[in-house]
Amino acid sequence: MEEGLEARHQVTLSLLAQSSFLQPLVNRLSCFTLHRLTIYAIGGSISLASTDPFDQPLIDPAYLATEFDAFAMRESVKSVRRFLAAPAWKDYVIGPAGGLANATTDELLDDFIRRGTFTSAHPVGTAAMSARNAAFGVVDPDLLVKQVSGLRIVDASVMPFVTCGHTQAPVYIIAERAADLIKETWKI
């Protein structure tokens, strides 16, 4: 194995070793799939734990909070199972490992999915944008924090929902729009 590839392989093994969910895959010839529910039925919430600004906030991502979300993830896993059971994979795939091997019913599969669910992307929406007169949302369409003078938020937190693609390009667009708004405000 070439040196760079070997280094990446060791980093991957190290990351796997730190995850109890992926632990069964360490030091085995194996592959794994990640199932991602990008648009889910309801969003989570973030709130203050106390008046102390140094206290950690209360974060509830609301993973699989609706029956539809659970159904979508369950069907995703079942779909990959069917795909990997195809004759083309006969000599490559022996079978599922770890908790997935024992998830033989929908209830067990749901439990397996709930125990292994984590954020795989970039959470957004903690300071969601909404209409100026809306009772919800943190910033207005000009990225100004509502009920605060002169403060803008320019990052992924203003997106009212997760995009279906990576968040990098939308953040660039938000930043470019913010630059135009700031220049217009200051007549630059």
Side-chain angles (χ1 to χ4, degrees):
M1 202 180 294
E2 71 179 64
E3 189 175 318
L5 186 58
E6 175 63 25
R8 286 193 301 271
H9 180 71
Q10 290 305 318
V11 168
T12 301
L13 286 178
S14 172
L15 291 172
L16 288 172
Q18 295 172 30
S19 168
S20 60
F21 181 70
L22 299 174
Q23 187 67 42
L25 302 177
V26 176
N27 295 324
R28 293 181 61 184
L29 291 175
S30 59
C31 71
F32 65 94
T33 60
L34 290 176
H35 303 263
R36 186 169 170 193
L37 187 60
T38 304
I39 302 295
Y40 44 94
I42 63 169
S45 64
I46 183 168
S47 58
L48 298 176
S50 74
T51 56
D52 183 345
F54 297 104
D55 281 351
Q56 294 292 321
L58 301 173
I59 301 172
D60 175 12
Y63 294 138
L64 308 171
T66 69
E67 186 54 39
F68 175 79
D69 293 345
F71 170 80
M73 288 300 289
R74 181 183 333 113
E75 292 306 309
S76 174
V77 172
K78 286 180 176 181
S79 175
V80 169
R81 278 181 165 172
R82 287 190 302 272
F83 175 75
L84 292 175
W89 297 106
K90 183 176 82 62
D91 294 330
Y92 299 97
V93 176
I94 297 169
L100 184 57
N102 299 320
T104 55
T105 66
D106 281 355
E107 292 76 24
L108 291 171
L109 187 55
D110 285 349
D111 183 56
F112 171 78
I113 291 167
R114 286 186 190 286
R115 284 184 290 108
T117 297
F118 61 93
T119 298
S120 65
H122 310 281
V124 304
T126 55
M129 183 187 322
S130 63
R132 279 183 185 79
N133 59 356
F136 60 93
V138 176
V139 300
D140 68 20
D142 289 335
L143 306 174
L144 289 164
V145 176
K146 294 178 177 184
Q147 300 178 357
V148 175
S149 178
L151 177 62
R152 292 183 202 270
I153 298 177
V154 184
D155 62 21
S157 68
V158 303
M159 294 182 207
F161 52 84
V162 180
T163 60
C164 288
H166 197 284
T167 57
Q168 183 175 3
V171 168
Y172 286 166
I173 294 167
I174 292 166
E176 288 292 334
R177 175 69 178 139
D180 290 343
L181 291 167
I182 292 166
K183 288 189 286 188
E184 181 181 309
T185 299
W186 291 93
K187 310 285 188 251
I188 299 174

